[in-house]
Amino acid sequence: MNWQDPLVKKFVYLIVAMIILCPLGILLVWNYGDAWGEWDPSELAKEVGAQKVSGMLHLADIWSYAPLPDYDIPGWDDPLHASIGYIISAIVGVALCVGAYYILVKIVNPKPM
Amino acid sequence: MHIPDGYLGPITCAFFYLIMIPIWYKSILELKKLDPRKLPLLGVLTAFAFLVMMFNLPVPDGTTAHMVGGTLIAILMDNPWIATIAISIVLVIQAIFFGDGGITCIGANCFNMGVVLPFVGYYVYKFLRKYVGDIIASGIGAYVGIVTAAICAGFEFGLQPFIEPGYCPYPFTVSVPAMAFAHLVTAGPAAAVVTAVVVWYVKKVRPDLFGSEDKQQHVSGVTA
């Protein structure tokens, strides 16, 4: 793979800029609620009654092993720490996505027809 | 638009995993045929999609929404199946490592954001580019793509009270307008502007990525 392509390089600069600026993605919406349908199940249960979401309460915690839940270091809740956690998550996420992509490409091994 | 664990019942989750298996298979076949010179660009676009989803934007009703980048990838790769792969990689990483989008909902989320969004966006772009040019067409494509995907997610939420009670408690009369609104007023316009600007820039520096249709138009324009 030729990573020296000028257009690819431009996207790399863009990615670096986006990593630095990504805290805007939480700071601009600091006092906003969650995205629609992404609320915490226990809070939703309080609102609509637990029996209306009985299945949800069982299924919601099926995966609790995310190392950076909500793109943050657990406990880093104030805006400054959350911003740092967000940047760390962005770096980790980019590395994981590019790594996963690279492995997939190595397995699939595209060839022009 | 990342549906978390618990909002869709087991039948809905299984249904979307089953639907995605042949789609993922076909996408891998398309990736096998992709021009290897496009692979580094696809790699950085995958990272771009991950990052662009971190930019949550305020919706006037007090919630948030974000763009996805699927239409942009479909346009730059000239193949929406390739966008399915890139967005699916991002969604799996987000679910496993960041708890964004449920493990049980990976099938549904990949269907909405990785299939509906880039396919609708790409074919709207393909249809409109003859009339309004590549750049405007890409913006409109991205807008229509993300709004359609959000409406699909809204339907999946809103069907739950009727088919599998105990999961998402809101019917589609509530969920579809809410999902559509957030993406019509916030994520859609953002996706339109970002996609159009990136397409404008890429077209300027790499016109070859936009296929021969353009050259033919140009030539016929000159001779006419």
Side-chain angles (χ1 to χ4, degrees):
Chain A
M1 280 196 250
N2 172 24
W3 297 92
Q4 299 303 312
D5 181 283
L7 180 62
V8 171
K9 270 192 175 168
K10 289 284 184 339
F11 269 102
V12 171
Y13 298 145
L14 177 65
I15 283 165
V16 172
M18 287 172 83
I19 289 172
I20 295 164
L21 292 174
C22 78
L24 287 174
I26 47 171
L27 298 176
L28 282 177
V29 294
W30 193 260
N31 293 314
Y32 281 72
D34 295 303
W36 201 95
E38 298 181 26
W39 315 283
D40 186 63
S42 55
E43 277 167 38
L44 186 62
K46 272 182 230 154
E47 198 149 309
V48 300
Q51 81 275 23
K52 271 192 115 175
V53 289
S54 53
M56 176 189 290
L57 295 171
H58 277 289
L59 205 52
D61 293 324
I62 193 169
W63 181 252
S64 50
Y65 312 106
L68 293 164
D70 294 323
Y71 307 94
D72 197 8
I73 310 266
W76 288 19
D77 295 330
D78 63 289
L80 177 67
H81 281 87
S83 297
I84 297 167
Y86 215 55
I87 290 178
I88 292 169
S89 299
I91 294 167
V92 171
V94 165
L96 288 169
C97 286
V98 174
Y101 170 74
Y102 190 78
I103 292 167
L104 182 70
V105 165
K106 283 287 159 210
I107 295 169
V108 173
N109 189 22
K111 292 233 167 64
M113 305 281 271
Chain B
M1 217 190 296
H2 292 63
I3 304 173
D5 282 323
Y7 281 79
L8 301 182
I11 297 166
T12 313
C13 294
F15 174 78
F16 280 106
Y17 267 107
L18 282 177
I19 284 207
M20 282 310 295
I21 289 169
I23 297 176
W24 278 321
Y25 180 71
K26 166 77 175 156
S27 306
I28 295 289
L29 293 182
E30 291 290 324
L31 179 63
K32 242 181 164 42
K33 290 191 285 187
L34 189 72
D35 181 350
R37 285 172 300 177
K38 284 187 170 180
L39 291 173
L41 181 59
L42 182 57
V44 287
L45 284 169
T46 306
F48 175 82
F50 178 88
L51 285 170
V52 91
M53 293 192 222
M54 292 184 79
F55 283 81
N56 300 302
L57 301 164
V59 180
D61 64 4
T63 65
T64 71
H66 57 75
M67 69 171 279
V68 173
T71 303
L72 177 68
I73 299 175
I75 291 172
L76 294 185
M77 292 293 124
D78 199 22
N79 185 340
W81 297 100
I82 303 298
T84 302
I85 300 213
I87 299 298
S88 297
I89 289 174
V90 170
L91 292 174
V92 169
I93 300 276
Q94 286 171 331
I96 294 175
F97 292 92
F98 302 97
D100 191 13
I103 294 287
T104 55
C105 303
I106 285 176
N109 285 327
C110 285
F111 181 77
N112 299 330
M113 284 181 272
V115 180
V116 174
L117 187 153
F119 273 82
V120 170
Y122 179 76
Y123 284 105
V124 167
Y125 157 81
K126 273 287 201 196
F127 175 74
L128 287 178
R129 64 189 294 211
K130 293 178 279 230
Y131 306 105
V132 296
D134 290 334
I135 292 145
I136 304 286
S138 70
I140 297 173
Y143 187 89
V144 177
I146 197 166
V147 170
T148 311
I151 290 170
C152 281
F155 262 111
E156 290 151 23
F157 279 125
L159 272 180
Q160 300 308 307
F162 304 102
I163 58 171
E164 295 183 84
Y167 298 94
C168 177
Y170 298 111
F172 53 80
T173 46
V174 177
S175 60
V176 171
M179 289 300 292
F181 178 75
H183 293 82
L184 279 166
V185 303
T186 294
V193 171
V194 171
T195 303
V197 168
V198 174
V199 166
W200 166 78
Y201 179 77
V202 173
K203 201 184 170 192
K204 206 175 68 166
V205 296
R206 287 288 301 279
D208 56 297
L209 286 177
F210 287 82
S212 53
E213 265 177 63
D214 247 39
K215 276 180 210 152
Q216 279 165 3
Q217 267 180 4
H218 187 67
V219 171
S220 65
V222 169
T223 48

